[in-house]
Amino acid sequence: MLKDIRNPQYWNQLWQQNLGKHMGGDPVEHWNKKAKSFAKMVETGEGNKRINGVIDFLKKQNVLWDNMKILDIGCGPGNFALPFAQLGAQVTAMDPAPNMLEALKEQLVSKNVKNIEVVQGLWEELDIREMGWHKKFDLVFASQSPGLRDMETLEKMNECSTQYCFATGFDGNRQMTLYDAFFQQYFDRPYIKNSHDIIFLINLIYSLGHRPTVEFLNLSRTEKYPTEEIKKNIKEISVSEGLQLEKFDEEIEKFLAAQPQNEAGSYTQSIRQVIGMVLWQPEIYL
């Protein structure tokens, strides 16, 4: 067993097995649908704890400095790209979803930010030499990015970096009150969503010969969902895990009828999660 856990392929295979349980569908369409909610999360302050926690960690490690070059993989609506740019970095922000990038571009105009280059593409498919990105960036950054998904996409980060790489992922399962209650009632267990558990990335990085710095960030927030949105979400996550119910819609209606509703007719879900932050240098210490 000790021989196995020091083999990068061991952790790479475990990661793929875990991802295979949770991934499917069109990733671009999936993130297009998330664009508004991701942008809104920061506007309402719910996402600032995570953003500030990550930036504070990077500052503490002396990773951020003026006019540095940063590649943000899976930038979304710019939740990290914009703060990096405002700190004086030259940022290349890439994402596969056009709606995410449109939300970012709107903010570039409204905030008059000039030092962000926007690139659309899938990290796992992008040719970094064709893009001229080989050893171009001081920091290659990926916050819970689905594009970082195996040894090949990890090595691409190393190849783009001259000094540092950084990534985040979930530490174990998230607690999500509405989803957990539904799953507990109908399937006798909480909702399990751990496809991007940081354990695989940390151990893969270490087994490849890097020596990462790791810290954890405890976060909590609330999200509000209109009735039709929460119905759709519950059905999607149930089907995605291969769970089936007779008269699915009626069962969801019955479940929601027993949950407290806000004045506006929406439902509130409390979310607790721990985020793992991993910083490493591209050099190998073997």
Side-chain angles (χ1 to χ4, degrees), residues 49-96:
K49 295 176 185 177
R50 178 171 65 95
I51 294 167
N52 292 337
V54 167
I55 290 176
D56 287 346
F57 169 77
L58 293 174
K59 285 181 176 178
K60 185 171 66 175
Q61 299 299 324
N62 296 314
V63 171
L64 298 177
W65 59 88
D66 189 47
N67 209 39
M68 71 183 299
K69 295 179 180 178
I70 299 177
L71 173 61
D72 184 356
I73 301 167
C75 65
N79 295 346
F80 285 99
L82 284 161
F84 288 151
Q86 290 165 343
L87 288 169
Q90 301 296 318
V91 182
T92 299
M94 70 162 296
D95 198 276

Side-chain angles (χ1 to χ4, degrees), residues 18-178:
N18 181 261
L19 285 173
K21 299 175 184 177
H22 301 278
M23 298 184 71
D26 183 344
V28 175
E29 182 58 27
H30 173 78
W31 294 111
N32 270 335
K33 293 177 181 178
K34 298 274 187 181
K36 288 184 179 179
S37 62
F38 271 44
K40 185 179 179 181
M41 192 183 300
V42 175
E43 291 172 5
T44 58
E46 293 284 6
N48 286 333
K49 295 176 185 177
R50 178 171 65 95
I51 294 167
N52 292 337
V54 167
I55 290 176
D56 287 346
F57 169 77
L58 293 174
K59 285 181 176 178
K60 185 171 66 175
Q61 299 299 324
N62 296 314
V63 171
L64 298 177
W65 59 88
D66 189 47
N67 209 39
M68 71 183 299
K69 295 179 180 178
I70 299 177
L71 173 61
D72 184 356
I73 301 167
C75 65
N79 295 346
F80 285 99
L82 284 161
F84 288 151
Q86 290 165 343
L87 288 169
Q90 301 296 318
V91 182
T92 299
M94 70 162 296
D95 198 276
N99 290 359
M100 290 286 191
L101 296 180
E102 283 303 314
L104 170 56
K105 289 174 183 177
E106 288 174 8
Q107 292 195 76
L108 296 184
V109 173
S110 65
K111 296 178 180 179
N112 195 32
V113 176
K114 305 292 185 183
N115 49 329
I116 295 181
E117 178 188 6
V118 177
V119 176
Q120 183 181 348
L122 286 163
W123 176 244
E124 56 268 34
E125 296 179 359
L126 185 138
D127 187 327
I128 60 172
R129 290 188 179 272
E130 188 177 282
M131 296 294 294
W133 288 359
H134 183 260
K135 294 301 177 186
K136 178 179 178 179
F137 301 97
D138 301 304
L139 171 65
V140 180
F141 177 94
S143 176
Q144 292 155 266
S145 172
L148 180 58
R149 58 199 300 167
D150 54 24
M151 190 152 52
E152 182 180 355
T153 52
L154 174 62
E155 293 287 23
K156 285 172 75 172
M157 290 183 70
N158 290 329
E159 291 172 21
C160 289
S161 173
T162 60
Q163 299 199 53
Y164 295 102
C165 295
F166 174 88
T168 68
F170 294 107
D171 173 20
N173 293 325
R174 286 160 274 181
Q175 295 176 3
M176 308 177 79
T177 52
L178 279 176

Side-chain angles (χ1 to χ4, degrees), residues 191-207:
Y191 172 55
I192 298 172
K193 179 67 172 177
N194 60 357
S195 59
H196 290 284
D197 196 313
I198 199 70
I199 188 173
F200 305 107
L201 180 61
I202 293 172
N203 284 285
L204 179 55
I205 291 169
Y206 179 83
S207 63

Side-chain angles (χ1 to χ4, degrees), residues 228-239:
E228 291 307 313
E229 182 179 346
I230 193 64
K231 287 180 184 177
K232 180 181 177 184
N233 289 354
I234 290 174
K235 188 170 185 178
E236 282 183 353
I237 63 174
S238 299
V239 171

